[in-house]
Amino acid sequence: MSMRRTTIKDVAGAAGVGVATVSRVLSGGSASPETRERVLTVAAQLDYRPSALGRNLRQQRSGGIGLLLPDITDTFYGRLADGVLACARSAGEPVILGTTGDDPEREAELIGMLLEQGVDRVVAVPSGDGEIWAPTLRAGLTMVFAHRLSAGHDDVPAVLADDRAGVRTAVDYLTGLGHRRIAYLGGPGQEQRLSFFRQALGALVDEELIVVARGSRDSAYAAAAGLFQHRPDLTAVLAGGNLLGEAAVLAARELDLRVPRDLSLIMFDDVPWAELCSPPLTVIAQPAQDLGYRAAELVLREGGRRPRGVLLPTELIVRGSCAPRRAPARSS
């Protein structure tokens, strides 16, 4: 009877450390001497054999593309995945899909799985810190990031939407309508988008109007509701993604805030339900499918010099969720 093969998660559990720590130790990354010794001892006891990390021989890889996304139930990421799959299908390449939930530990576990399965290439929307991705680079895999960057890995090509232009256009539109107290409702991996928001608002930035939720719908709703309750003076919101925009719409409805009379709203991502809202939502449309397709094209490119990055345009689609700021009522 065959024994189940020991995985990187087994080693992490037995050593009492995270999967990311095991990945770092086994790939020669930084760790304390005590941690390194404990991980290596447990790995030896469990007879763990990290095939891709140990061999790192390209001819022994099985090929294919690993695709890591935060959440495939999110319409944006579903369309991005569709772009990757379409390109991979035309090239005759299989795709192994994993969802990270924007959890760095889960992301590290999936990276270990892809290395063990010997894939040649990885397309990822990164959620963890840069060190989590070190094992894939040391193992010689071809990497491309999509939609987000990973800190410390400027050498990895990335296919991105033009967030700077998208945020600037949205902020200019809202300030042109007279709004000055503009909030930002953000989520995981939006550090760069938030930086562009601060730059676009300049002296009008109010840090109390910047709220960052975790990756779940409950967290997004709590962040939106808390923002609206604690700062009833705000007049406009830029939501950093469709899940956050959905939370803003629901929270506004629960709190009897009328869009756009009481609150103007712009959301990143033009998803189908945005046009069905009452009123339809003004959005910053991102080419999600093109992001995936171009990332897959880039990771499949053989030979030659790969560009450091590809920047795709965004578009402000004006609908009915924004209106001129109402002057405050004068007391008699």
Side-chain angles (χ1 to χ4, degrees):
M1 186 175 72
S2 62
M3 298 289 290
R4 183 180 71 88
R5 183 178 176 180
T6 302
T7 68
I8 195 171
K9 190 174 183 180
D10 296 329
V11 176
V17 298
V19 173
T21 301
V22 176
S23 291
R24 283 200 303 273
V25 171
L26 297 179
S27 61
S30 61
S32 69
E34 295 81 5
T35 299
R36 181 179 301 280
E37 182 178 355
R38 184 163 71 254
V39 168
L40 293 177
T41 299
V42 169
Q45 290 171 346
L46 297 180
D47 195 26
Y48 174 67
R49 296 189 180 98
S51 56
L53 282 173
R55 294 194 305 262
N56 191 21
L57 297 175
R58 199 157 190 83
Q59 63 269 26
Q60 292 180 316
R61 296 193 185 283
S62 60
I65 300 173
L67 174 59
L68 298 185
L69 301 171
D71 177 10
I72 201 170
T73 66
D74 184 312
T75 304
F76 174 82
Y77 292 123
R79 287 165 54 211
L80 191 154
D82 190 55
V84 173
L85 291 168
C87 184
R89 185 165 53 247
S90 67
E93 287 284 346
V95 175
I96 299 174
L97 174 64
T99 56
T100 66
D102 270 320
D103 178 0
E105 287 290 314
R106 173 64 178 158
E107 185 171 71
E109 180 184 338
L110 288 169
I111 291 169
M113 178 200 73
L114 293 176
L115 288 170
E116 289 176 351
Q117 295 194 7
V119 299
D120 279 316
R121 303 169 176 90
V122 176
V123 172
V125 178
S127 57
D129 60 35
E131 197 169 355
I132 285 178
W133 292 99
T136 60
L137 298 173
R138 292 192 186 101
L141 273 69
T142 302
M143 285 284 307
V144 172
F145 292 136
H147 182 54
R148 296 179 190 164
L149 297 171
S150 182
H153 287 300
D154 296 337
D155 54 331
V156 175
V159 180
L160 308 170
D162 192 350
D163 279 352
R164 184 190 298 273
V167 170
R168 167 60 70 180
T169 303
V171 168
D172 286 349
Y173 180 62
L174 290 172
T175 56
L177 291 172
H179 295 281
R180 295 297 179 266
R181 295 189 180 93
I182 303 173
Y184 182 83
L185 184 60
Q190 295 187 8
E191 293 80 10
Q192 190 170 53
R193 192 172 289 173
L194 179 52
S195 174
F196 294 149
F197 176 77
R198 288 190 173 102
Q199 292 172 22
L201 266 185
L204 293 177
V205 172
D206 182 341
E207 291 295 329
E208 289 186 356
L209 294 181
I210 295 174
V211 177
V212 178
R214 295 187 299 278
S216 68
R217 277 180 165 77
D218 287 346
S219 175
Y221 177 83
L227 176 66
F228 297 161
Q229 288 174 313
H230 291 119
R231 288 298 300 267
D233 58 325
L234 70 86
T235 62
V237 176
L238 174 58
N242 67 81
L243 185 148
L244 297 156
E246 175 187 309
V249 170
L250 293 174
R253 186 179 301 163
E254 290 291 327
L255 296 170
D256 291 325
L257 294 172
R258 292 160 295 180
V259 176
R261 177 169 175 156
D262 301 321
L263 183 71
S264 288
L265 174 61
I266 297 179
M267 175 182 78
F268 265 88
D269 301 340
D270 187 20
V271 293
W273 61 260
E275 204 167 4
L276 302 177
C277 279
S278 180
L281 296 188
T282 294
V283 299
I284 303 167
Q286 303 181 90
Q289 192 166 12
D290 285 349
L291 283 169
Y293 196 97
R294 294 290 295 275
E297 272 188 331
L298 204 55
V299 86
L300 287 168
R301 184 177 296 180
E302 295 290 350
R305 183 177 178 183
R306 286 182 175 81
R308 286 293 178 86
V310 176
L311 198 63
L312 301 179
T314 55
E315 179 187 4
L316 180 69
I317 300 177
V318 176
R319 296 187 180 122
S321 62
C322 296
R325 181 182 67 89
R326 295 175 66 204
R330 293 183 180 178
S331 58
S332 55

